[in-house]
Amino acid sequence: MCGIVGYIGKKNSLPILIKGLKRLEYRGYDSAGVAYIKDKNIKIVKTVGKINNLDKLLNYNDESFIGIGHTRWATHGSVDTTNSHPHQAGSITIVHNGILENYQELKKILTNKGYTFKSDTDTEVLCAYIDYEYTKTKNILDALNNCMKVFEGSYATAIMVKDIPNKLFVMKKDSPLVIGIGEQENYIASDISAYADETSAYIILEDMEIGQIEKDNISIYKNKKEIKYNIEQVEQDAFDSDKNNYEHYMLKEISEQENLMDKLNNIYLKNLDKIMDISKYNKIHIIGCGTAYHAGMIGKYLIENYSDFEVNTYIASEYRYQKIFADDKTLVIAASQSGETADTLACIKKVKKYGCKTLGIVNVKNSSIARAVDEVIYTEAGQEVAVASTKAYSSQVYIFSLLALKLGITKGLINKNEINKEYEKLPSYISKLTNYDYEDIISKIWQAKDVFYLGRGIDYISMLEGSLKLKEISYVHSEAYQAGELKHGTISLIEKDTPIIALISDETIALKTISNIKEVKARGAYVVLLIKEDLNINIDKECYDKIIEINATDNLLQPILNVIPLQLIAYNIAKKRGCDIDKPRNLAKSVTVE
Ligand code: F6R
């Protein structure tokens, strides 16, 4: 969601800006633009669509040593060139990620002062307000400081000032921004993956800080005072953005789950003491959004069923505004791949006021959530480039299984030696599922208008994730239902050949789900049955059209396997429909606005 880049140094800025923007493409965007200084003039080039469209408009002979760039994910105003960034007002040119909540109010003030606006964006207002303050104070640092007192909402902003052509400025609140440090050159980016090849060190700008960036100097200010900053080191292997001959990042990332389980076993299973002891809390709340929320729901199920402890799960965008019952004996666990999701981050800030202890299950190191929580367990999945989350999900579920395992062992409910063997078998089981030939199933269902996913208990949660994967990348409407709930309304939508994907891995309720499958089969549905092998039940061949057997592992780990065929069914349907799998329309990888 909105990517920001900036460069100041000795090289031509344009190729560097474009390279950075391409690296941030994974965040999701609908238009892109750059601004750079050429012969003391600020030039702006922007357009809708892919960065390649912008690239074609650029004149690379325009040598410029300072510039900013942006990929926009529309929030205020439609997707068009006027609304895309950079925006300019008077001496000020900016790119912005976030939402200026009081922009209507500020727009009125500025309109009365003679400012006019071309776009529908909050960003243009933010830009004009900086110009207004700069005109008044004649000092850009004072102007930005004054703006921060007035601006409500979130902003990560890179700023160029016409009469200060040798400096870039940044300011930030509640949206991420980093400054990459080079030799006689410095960079700005929403996240350091944009320039991980160019720099080995970077500064993370914190809320309410202003940065002044020259090619050979960086100064950070807070409340008008210059402050010291920490320098972070770039972890080079954290950014593997090579597709390695895979057709799509999503397929690559699905396949990586096999080795990832090995990696996680080595890091965590062998050192269970590294996993937080959650036994001392009275309550556990798990929060997250989308796929991370689904992983949290699996976490609830695992902790409740295998370590006998009640857990509540919440969607972060709700939790941040709802009444909560939490205190210093409550552990709040936030699951997030990016570590930047605005709603999840806001929940962490909220529960700190209640005295809660916070644990992050996070993929991106040094991300905002990783830094905001009291303790973090990294999911070690490596960079996830495809917008649809796959390996990050299974690694989150893996970490939740370890939290349940540790608590279960502490309570004497789980035998560690037996379960260790099952963790070790995960890679080979995953390999079997990734090598399965799904073509037969896909050829039958890829043109469907609607697909329904059925399961009970923990299987229903896997189906929520399977259904989300299908929706987001193939644009096929789908819903996941608790199998017993379908006949309370939705079964009216089932007609001849409606695809139903059903999952049965919980033996205790398998026969109940089978009855529900028979109900849809009787109405002509085309049923794909995913079933844990060796279930001790009789399955009538007439109740499914296709069957996929999933290796049986311990119930604590079964959800990690169950999701693999669901990811691959979604992937293959999207591929057959010719969708832009890695960058589905309207979606952003890092959702930094609420
Ligand atoms: C779906 C997907 C999203 C994210 C959600 C939370 O495939 O990727 O639903 O899971 O936006 O993102 P993170 O995990 O970065 O907090």
Side-chain angles (χ1 to χ4, degrees), residues 199-213:
T199 71
S200 58
Y202 66 106
I203 300 162
I204 300 171
L205 202 68
E206 299 290 352
D207 282 351
M208 307 311 279
E209 289 180 356
I210 294 169
Q212 173 178 276
I213 305 157

Side-chain angles (χ1 to χ4, degrees), residues 370-390:
R371 285 179 290 118
V373 288
D374 298 314
E375 279 199 35
V376 62
I377 303 177
Y378 284 116
T379 47
E380 303 289 349
Q383 190 178 15
E384 195 178 59
V385 177
V387 163
S389 189
T390 53

Side-chain angles (χ1 to χ4, degrees), residues 69-303:
H70 189 261
T71 45
R72 173 177 187 245
W73 188 86
T75 58
H76 292 66
S78 58
V79 177
D80 61 40
T81 304
T82 311
N83 285 335
S84 58
H85 303 206
H87 287 277
Q88 194 168 58
S91 315
I92 306 295
T93 304
I94 68 163
V95 292
H96 163 225
N97 171 15
I99 291 179
L100 183 64
E101 282 166 3
N102 56 340
Y103 83 105
Q104 295 285 22
E105 196 186 303
L106 298 180
K107 195 171 188 174
K108 266 192 212 140
I109 297 171
L110 291 166
T111 307
N112 288 337
K113 304 220 175 270
Y115 281 89
T116 54
F117 296 90
K118 298 190 204 91
S119 77
D120 307 317
T121 63
D122 53 336
T123 302
E124 195 182 4
V125 177
L126 192 141
C127 183
Y129 204 88
I130 298 173
D131 182 66
Y132 165 64
E133 282 291 343
Y134 182 53
T135 311
K136 252 186 1 189
T137 57
K138 309 270 186 289
N139 177 315
I140 188 65
L141 293 174
D142 287 348
L144 296 178
N145 199 61
N146 291 350
C147 287
M148 280 185 145
K149 291 186 189 143
V150 174
F151 291 164
E152 288 168 18
S154 55
Y155 45 85
T157 309
I159 304 145
M160 288 203 301
V161 186
K162 188 167 188 289
D163 48 348
I164 316 178
N166 56 345
K167 289 178 187 174
L168 290 172
F169 298 89
V170 286
M171 63 175 181
K172 158 194 152 71
K173 178 179 166 270
D174 291 339
S175 287
L177 201 90
V178 300
I179 303 166
I181 307 170
E183 285 274 323
Q184 293 288 306
E185 58 186 357
N186 290 309
Y187 303 82
I188 298 168
S190 292
D191 69 65
I192 198 59
S193 68
Y195 291 118
D197 285 353
E198 281 76 16
T199 71
S200 58
Y202 66 106
I203 300 162
I204 300 171
L205 202 68
E206 299 290 352
D207 282 351
M208 307 311 279
E209 289 180 356
I210 294 169
Q212 173 178 276
I213 305 157
E214 296 160 83
K215 74 171 193 286
D216 49 8
N217 190 45
I218 298 168
S219 314
I220 307 289
Y221 300 89
K222 188 164 191 172
N223 292 329
K224 290 194 159 186
K225 287 203 185 84
E226 188 168 355
I227 56 166
K228 286 198 177 137
Y229 49 78
N230 292 331
I231 296 181
E232 310 292 334
Q233 291 306 314
V234 177
E235 266 194 40
Q236 289 304 336
D237 63 349
F239 305 109
D240 167 23
S241 53
D242 197 340
K243 243 193 262 172
N244 290 347
N245 294 330
Y246 283 94
E247 201 173 339
H248 298 98
Y249 282 109
M250 184 178 175
L251 187 59
K252 174 183 175 238
E253 288 158 8
I254 291 172
S255 311
E256 281 171 355
Q257 293 173 108
E258 182 186 332
N259 289 339
L260 178 57
M261 292 304 132
D262 242 349
K263 182 177 176 189
L264 290 169
N265 285 344
N266 283 328
I267 299 175
Y268 293 121
L269 187 66
K270 296 195 175 134
N271 305 288
L272 212 52
D273 50 317
K274 280 194 183 169
I275 295 295
M276 188 181 192
D277 174 13
I278 56 176
S279 64
K280 55 180 184 248
Y281 298 97
N282 289 348
K283 281 184 193 171
I284 297 178
H285 291 181
I286 301 178
I287 54 167
C289 300
T291 287
Y293 172 68
H294 294 158
M297 287 174 84
I298 296 272
K300 166 187 163 74
Y301 192 95
L302 298 181
I303 297 169

Side-chain angles (χ1 to χ4, degrees), residues 289-292 336-338 341 387-389 469 472 591:
C289 300
T291 287
S336 176
Q337 187 287 127
S338 63
T341 302
V387 163
S389 189
K469 285 290 90 87
E472 62 180 326
V591 184

Side-chain angles (χ1 to χ4, degrees), residues 438-488:
Y438 295 87
E439 185 47 38
D440 235 20
I441 293 168
I442 303 306
S443 63
K444 187 75 187 162
I445 63 179
W446 71 281
Q447 285 172 304
K449 237 173 50 269
D450 313 284
V451 177
F452 293 91
Y453 288 74
L454 297 189
R456 280 173 182 259
I458 196 163
D459 291 341
Y460 162 65
I461 305 167
S462 295
M463 293 323 234
L464 284 172
E465 177 55 12
S467 167
L468 179 66
K469 285 290 90 87
L470 182 70
K471 281 187 268 242
E472 62 180 326
I473 62 168
S474 73
Y475 317 138
V476 175
H477 166 252
S478 92
E479 301 290 342
Y481 269 88
Q482 290 101 333
E485 182 62 14
L486 200 71
K487 60 176 153 307
H488 295 285

